[in-house]
Amino acid sequence: PGTQVVAVTDTSSVTYDETVPTLAPVSIASGNANPALAKTGDTVTVSFTASELLIGLPTVTIDGNAADAVNALGGNAYSATRVMQAGDTEAAVVFTIDFTDAAGNPGTQVVAVTDTSSVTYDETAPVTTAGAGPSDPSNVADPSFAFTATDTGGTGVALSQATLTKPDLSTVGPVAVTSPFNLSAVLGSALPTDGTADGVYTMSVVSTDNAGNVESTATWTWTYDTTAPTLAPVSIASGNANPAL
């Protein structure tokens, strides 16, 4: 009998692997100023690390759509990105990751982060509604302006800002305001009452939500008039044959 052979004569080898790969850590973040929020055009990134070498790139969806890109970062680390689009679901952004190790063992689809990270998508701008303001025309030097700003079902109103456009079309602002506010809160003082500032003014307020969505502007336009009226010419006449009698 020949001698039992238990080794190859070259460098070949086979490693048996029946272990299912896993992913940890797994996290999600947005390129928004607030990484937990996203608006249209923001990039959402899902980052994860595999427990072992994978075969090919994982298949990733973000908000039910294929990721724009999946990148191997080295050391079994990966990232998947997608730019959020108008019409995406306004809610917490969901994702799926499908992956297989180098031996062909499929991992269990991953649909959750391993930390506390999350991203909420919000594409709806807040609504600012103009309320009471100066009458038109008006001689009030420091009129008041009232408005409401709402972001129903969104991420909440973060800021409302007012801008004053003067008769020469120059502007002052934007200045952060809450309702109600006076013209002096934007201009820094009331208007002069000597007639030098008379003309048409426009006050505008625009609100931004926490995701960065900016709405269309609410405005008040009025004519400021402090100039007393005058009469000229003034004459008197009689219906007599002599109009002076």
Side-chain angles (χ1 to χ4, degrees), residues 15-124:
T15 299
Y16 175 65
D17 176 11
E18 64 177 14
T19 302
V20 174
T22 59
L23 301 180
V26 180
S27 63
I28 188 171
S30 168
N32 191 284
N34 183 337
L37 300 175
K39 65 181 186 304
T40 303
D42 286 340
T43 298
V44 171
T45 301
V46 179
S47 302
F48 52 96
T49 300
S51 59
E52 57 182 294
L53 181 67
L54 301 182
I55 184 170
L57 293 172
T59 300
V60 182
T61 68
I62 298 175
D63 191 48
N65 300 280
D68 296 333
V70 179
N71 298 299
L73 307 179
N76 296 335
Y78 298 85
S79 69
T81 59
R82 180 174 180 271
V83 176
M84 300 302 290
Q85 305 293 322
D88 286 344
T89 304
E90 291 191 285
V93 177
V94 297
F95 64 88
T96 64
I97 309 172
D98 292 287
F99 55 103
T100 303
D101 71 14
N105 297 301
T108 301
Q109 186 183 70
V110 171
V111 297
V113 299
T114 58
D115 56 14
T116 59
S117 63
S118 67
V119 172
T120 298
Y121 176 64
D122 176 9
E123 66 177 20
T124 302

Side-chain angles (χ1 to χ4, degrees), residues 137-238:
S138 171
N139 63 358
V140 178
D142 193 17
S144 177
F145 304 85
F147 66 93
T148 58
T150 58
D151 191 36
T152 305
T155 53
V157 176
L159 179 68
S160 295
Q161 295 178 295
T163 300
L164 177 68
T165 302
K166 299 193 289 185
D168 62 2
L169 301 184
S170 64
T171 59
V172 180
V175 175
V177 294
T178 57
S179 179
F181 68 95
N182 285 80
L183 178 143
S184 56
V186 179
L187 186 60
S189 65
L191 295 170
T193 58
D194 59 3
T196 59
D198 286 6
V200 178
Y201 289 80
T202 297
M203 183 70 76
S204 60
V205 174
V206 62
S207 297
T208 304
D209 68 17
N210 286 295
N213 295 298
V214 181
E215 62 150 359
S216 58
T217 304
T219 61
W220 301 258
T221 298
W222 75 104
T223 298
Y224 181 58
D225 181 6
T226 60
T227 303
T230 60
L231 299 178
V234 178
S235 62
I236 189 169
S238 167

